[in-house]
Amino acid sequence: MSTTKKIAGAALAAALGVTALSACGGGDTKDKPAGAGDAPKSKTVTLVSHDSFNATESVLKEFEQQSGYTVKVLKSGDAGAALNQEILTKGSPRGDVFFGVDNTLLSRALDNGIFTPYEAKGLAGVKPEYVLDKEHRVTPVDSGDICVNYDKAYFADKGIAPPQTLDDLVKPEYKNLLVVENAATSSPGLGFMLASVGKYGEEGWKDYWSKLKANGVEVVDGWEQAYNERFSGSAGGKKAKGDRPLVVSYASSPPVEVLYGEPQPAEAPTGVATGTCFRQIEFAGLLKGAENEEGGKALVDFLISKKFQEDMPLQMFVNPVAKDAALPELFTKHGVVVEKPEVVAPETIAKNREQWVKAWTALVVK
């Protein structure tokens, strides 16, 4: 996976897109029949996911050896497209477990009844604030924060303090400095819009965006264009001569800049405005009608195991939800802890997302 895709994979993909299917993993999907009339037993457990799912091969192999199942990963485009496929195939799913539905799409998934309730072994070890579904139709697997990132060198050169809050972004000293993604076409863009809803409420978020627009906010279609072309702080942005020192990205972007810097810098060239963040939580669920339900349950258990949770940060650049999972040094040294991210209840998002996006588009883009 490329550097840009690894950064973008820190929580999700764009909100809409064409479904592209790819599978990895080997082995026959079924045992040979034991005898006439016997139902073959599946030795394969299939994980349906968005394209950003990744895990160290040895970690998956350890699960396979311990469980006796072969893992097949069916990547299905971005999170929204992948979920749409499962809704369309409800009751006859393409796999056993779905991973990647986040809190912006959760109520849609639950309302469509695509999951079978299952309380995962080890769930008591998950931080309780991430357990949003008390019926255990889905299990939290990771979290990540969508935040404004800033170019440290720009603000140091100008002698200006970088912004730290949503309120800061509308101040005159940050005029024409911010680039954001389209909330109608980009998951980070949607998350940042939801941050404003969480902060200012139904009555105030549109007024906030009016102020941002007056302060010269630039809107582009997606994360890669914003971060790699318009943002001045990333290696990609410098090559593209990006001139915006503020961009909506992820709290995990600075560690990635260090990991993939050429040469590798001692310190991250970018910072995070921790008062601008919206928290995303990703879930996995046992699909209703799964061919291999027992294998699916074992896989869900594995996704919240310490082994997988500690592997995730450097594979998908997200944070573990397990209490006992340690972050890698790259995260502890170069990352930030977002103490008070903005949150919006999944059911509130589901009820209002479409009208909010339409209002945002009319106000900011048109």
Side-chain angles (χ1 to χ4, degrees):
M1 190 182 292
S2 69
T3 301
T4 58
K5 288 187 181 297
K6 285 209 173 206
I7 299 174
L12 65 153
L16 300 172
V18 178
T19 300
L21 302 182
S22 64
C24 64
D28 294 335
T29 59
K30 298 183 184 297
D31 282 328
K32 293 180 180 179
D38 290 341
K41 181 181 178 181
S42 176
K43 291 177 63 177
T44 296
V45 57
T46 300
L47 177 70
V48 182
S49 174
H50 54 55
D51 285 347
S52 293
F53 177 83
N54 202 29
T56 301
E57 185 177 354
S58 61
V59 171
L60 287 182
K61 287 295 182 185
E62 184 173 321
F63 167 74
E64 292 178 334
Q65 290 168 359
Q66 292 177 352
S67 68
Y69 297 110
T70 297
V71 178
K72 178 181 179 181
V73 179
L74 185 63
K75 295 186 177 183
S76 304
D78 64 62
L83 177 60
N84 286 341
Q85 286 290 310
E86 293 314 307
I87 291 173
L88 290 171
T89 57
K90 174 183 172 181
S92 299
R94 297 174 299 150
D96 306 300
V97 174
F98 183 85
F99 165 76
V101 61
D102 67 25
N103 48 319
T104 69
L105 297 169
L106 180 59
S107 285
R108 183 160 179 258
L110 298 183
D111 290 346
N112 276 279
I114 65 173
F115 296 118
T116 296
Y118 171 62
E119 185 169 352
K121 295 176 183 177
L123 188 62
V126 170
K127 298 170 187 177
E129 62 266 30
Y130 296 127
V131 184
L132 301 187
D133 177 36
K134 303 307 180 184
E135 297 179 37
H136 306 301
R137 290 164 291 181
V138 292
T139 300
V141 175
D142 68 71
S143 73
D145 295 306
I146 293 171
C147 310
V148 169
N149 285 196
Y150 58 84
D151 178 354
K152 290 180 178 179
Y154 174 91
F155 289 100
D157 290 345
K158 297 291 185 181
I160 304 171
Q164 291 300 323
T165 67
L166 290 171
D167 286 344
D168 287 344
L169 296 173
V170 300
K171 293 178 179 178
E173 56 263 44
Y174 306 114
K175 187 177 180 65
N176 298 326
L177 301 187
L178 175 64
V179 57
V180 305
E181 300 86 358
N182 192 318
T185 59
S186 163
S187 191
L190 175 61
F192 186 62
M193 185 198 76
L194 291 173
S196 70
V197 173
K199 173 69 174 178
Y200 302 107
E202 181 64 29
E203 300 302 317
W205 75 269
K206 286 180 277 190
D207 180 60
Y208 175 74
W209 277 95
S210 293
K211 293 176 181 177
L212 270 185
K213 185 174 183 179
N215 211 37
V217 67
E218 179 182 2
V219 179
V220 297
D221 285 339
W223 179 89
E224 291 207 15
Q225 184 182 2
Y227 198 88
N228 290 316
E229 296 179 19
R230 300 299 298 123
F231 180 46
S232 63
S234 72
K238 289 173 182 175
K239 291 175 184 176
K241 295 184 171 54
D243 61 3
R244 295 258 164 169
L246 298 173
V247 65
V248 172
S249 189
Y250 301 97
S252 58
S253 296
V256 179
E257 288 283 354
V258 172
L259 182 62
Y260 291 99
E262 295 178 359
Q264 190 173 81
E267 297 293 334
T270 58
V272 177
T274 56
T276 66
C277 305
F278 175 79
R279 177 151 297 169
Q280 285 189 313
I281 307 166
E282 285 190 303
F283 302 85
L286 181 67
L287 287 164
K288 186 174 290 185
E291 180 180 321
N292 187 353
E293 186 169 302
E294 291 307 308
K297 291 177 179 178
L299 183 56
V300 172
D301 295 344
F302 170 68
L303 292 177
I304 59 171
S305 69
K306 185 176 181 180
K307 190 77 173 180
F308 183 82
Q309 289 280 301
E310 291 189 341
D311 183 56
M312 277 192 320
L314 293 180
Q315 296 302 315
M316 294 188 282
F317 296 97
V318 290
N319 294 312
V321 296
K323 300 173 188 175
D324 64 348
L327 282 169
E329 183 181 6
L330 184 75
F331 271 58
T332 58
K333 185 176 180 180
H334 301 290
V336 298
V337 176
V338 180
E339 297 285 358
K340 295 181 179 180
E342 298 298 336
V343 294
V344 181
E347 57 271 21
T348 303
I349 296 173
K351 181 180 178 181
N352 296 285
R353 180 176 54 240
E354 185 175 346
Q355 66 187 50
W356 284 344
V357 170
K358 286 181 179 178
W360 181 91
T361 301
L363 181 65
V364 183
V365 179
K366 294 182 178 178

